[in-house]
Amino acid sequence: MSPREDGKITCLVPVYECADRLADHLGTVRALEEICDEIFWVVTPGEDNSVRMVQNVLRARGGKYLEVPRGLYEAWNSGISRVTTEFIYISTVGDAVAPRGLVSLRACLQETGADVCFSPPCLPEEKKARRQLRDWPVFRFRKELGAWEGKILPPWMVAKLQALSGIHSLLGSCASCLFRTSFLQSHPFPAGYFHYGDSAWVYQNQAVARLVFLRQPVAKFSVHGPSGRTVEPRGVERLRWMVIRRLALQTRGKAAAQALRRMSACIRYLDAHRGRRPARFWWLRPKLLAVRLQKVLQKGLFAARIRQLIPAGKP
């Protein structure tokens, strides 16, 4: 058996100035030792006590340690490039997965040969956080994803759902994902996309990544408050153009490409004219209402046209 087909999992734990949350997260990491072959700490030195806390854990329980410069996805990629097990799980401080949930994700990858298995996070009890997660694509498109549960999603379906999700990743949180190491090493997370590199990863790999969905939640995601970071409309459009260009290369995809291009232009126009702090009922202004209705029309056309590219006879 190849080392790449051993069923083993490495738990990658990125750490940067999170001492206030790291103590609680250590319990999650200890639980994952039951199923993970290796715990790999990828640490960026900072102003707090995080580095010392990790070093104490290493002395007591063992594991691997890598010190890296600042950069969220760059740090992830540095650790991922050194993993030797078949699968890799990214355990962000504050998030938690049940060991049996990780077993379910692995079983699905082994059965299907997929590159990523993802599921929705557990919904929190707090109403505001619950509403925030409900807007995620993994919940918004749960019915469509559920029809393909346990099967590799058609690439055009992935492209459609991610394009309709804008800046939000179809995969949801990495807390609910298990990756095949070899694929992640050959398709690392892109840098230069600020805090939405995981979304950009889906856009970049829409045509080649074999994704499989499980509807049963296996992990808890720590819902953060507003970060204060904004995404320029052009940034989202830049991502959607990855789908538009791919569609335009196919005769049958040109109509879908045109609809997505028009939908994206409408969104850019609306974002530019509503401002950072939109006035109440801003969208009722005649011109903006007309553009908003056009956006809805083009969105429906895009979804209908791209459905024609998905193989018939499937769920």
Side-chain angles (χ1 to χ4, degrees):
M1 179 182 290
S2 165
R4 291 294 191 188
E5 299 175 356
D6 56 10
K8 294 180 179 179
I9 302 172
T10 291
C11 174
L12 189 76
V13 191
V15 173
Y16 173 65
E17 291 190 350
C18 54
D20 56 333
R21 293 172 287 122
L22 185 55
D24 289 338
H25 194 68
L26 295 179
T28 297
V29 174
R30 282 194 291 271
L32 289 176
E33 290 176 353
E34 300 174 16
I35 182 64
C36 293
D37 182 70
E38 187 171 73
I39 306 297
F40 192 166
W41 300 87
V42 178
V43 181
T44 299
E47 299 296 326
D48 67 2
N49 199 35
S50 296
V51 173
R52 181 171 296 180
M53 291 175 70
V54 172
Q55 290 173 342
N56 289 339
V57 173
L58 287 164
R59 282 192 289 269
R61 308 187 70 86
K64 278 189 176 179
Y65 178 88
L66 177 66
E67 201 164 285
V68 296
R70 287 187 62 176
L72 176 62
Y73 296 105
E74 295 89 338
W76 288 17
N77 290 335
S78 293
I80 290 165
S81 67
R82 292 165 171 79
V83 172
T84 58
T85 56
E86 185 175 6
F87 304 115
I88 184 167
Y89 176 72
I90 301 171
S91 181
T92 302
V93 174
D95 299 341
V97 65
R100 64 180 180 277
L102 210 49
V103 170
S104 297
L105 298 179
R106 179 176 63 184
C108 192
L109 288 182
Q110 291 174 319
E111 181 178 344
T112 62
D115 302 307
V116 189
C117 184
F118 68 107
S119 68
C122 300
L123 286 171
E125 293 184 6
E126 200 272 314
K127 289 184 179 179
K128 185 176 180 180
R130 195 179 184 90
R131 285 196 302 270
Q132 183 177 328
L133 290 190
R134 281 289 192 189
D135 288 336
W136 283 16
V138 75
F139 288 108
R140 285 172 49 208
F141 302 117
R142 194 168 185 173
K143 184 176 180 180
E144 191 169 352
L145 290 168
W148 286 83
E149 183 177 21
K151 301 178 179 66
I152 293 176
L153 302 179
W156 283 121
M157 179 181 172
V158 173
K160 180 190 74 171
L161 297 182
Q162 184 57 71
L164 293 176
S165 301
I167 208 66
H168 304 291
S169 175
L170 176 63
L171 300 181
S173 165
C174 282
S176 300
C177 300
L178 184 65
F179 295 87
R180 188 173 296 276
T181 303
S182 57
F183 187 83
L184 205 50
Q185 288 177 337
S186 59
H187 301 80
F189 289 98
Y193 290 91
F194 307 104
H195 59 288
Y196 51 96
D198 50 346
S199 303
W201 186 90
V202 180
Y203 277 103
Q204 284 191 348
N205 297 291
Q206 49 171 304
V208 294
R210 296 166 297 177
L211 310 185
V212 63
F213 173 77
L214 287 184
R215 71 177 73 216
Q216 181 63 41
V218 301
K220 295 179 181 179
F221 171 73
S222 177
V223 181
H224 308 288
S227 64
R229 296 172 295 193
T230 58
V231 180
E232 294 296 331
R234 288 285 186 184
V236 186
E237 194 171 32
R238 174 188 173 197
L239 293 174
R240 288 200 179 100
W241 267 93
M242 296 182 193
V243 178
I244 292 170
R245 283 192 292 267
R246 181 176 162 227
L247 283 166
L249 293 174
Q250 298 197 14
T251 301
R252 293 178 61 223
K254 292 186 184 299
Q258 183 182 57
L260 181 58
R261 185 166 55 244
R262 289 174 175 172
M263 184 194 86
S264 190
C266 289
I267 293 172
R268 185 179 72 246
Y269 183 91
L270 292 170
D271 283 344
H273 285 79
R274 69 181 177 183
R276 293 292 187 192
R277 295 184 177 180
R280 193 177 184 187
F281 301 124
W282 63 271
W283 48 271
L284 287 177
R285 289 157 55 189
K287 174 66 173 177
L288 298 183
L289 180 58
V291 175
R292 194 165 187 249
L293 292 174
Q294 183 63 210
K295 181 196 76 171
V296 173
L297 172 64
Q298 296 302 325
K299 178 180 178 181
L301 287 173
F302 166 65
R305 297 289 183 268
I306 206 169
R307 272 198 298 270
Q308 298 173 2
L309 301 177
I310 299 175
K314 298 293 183 180

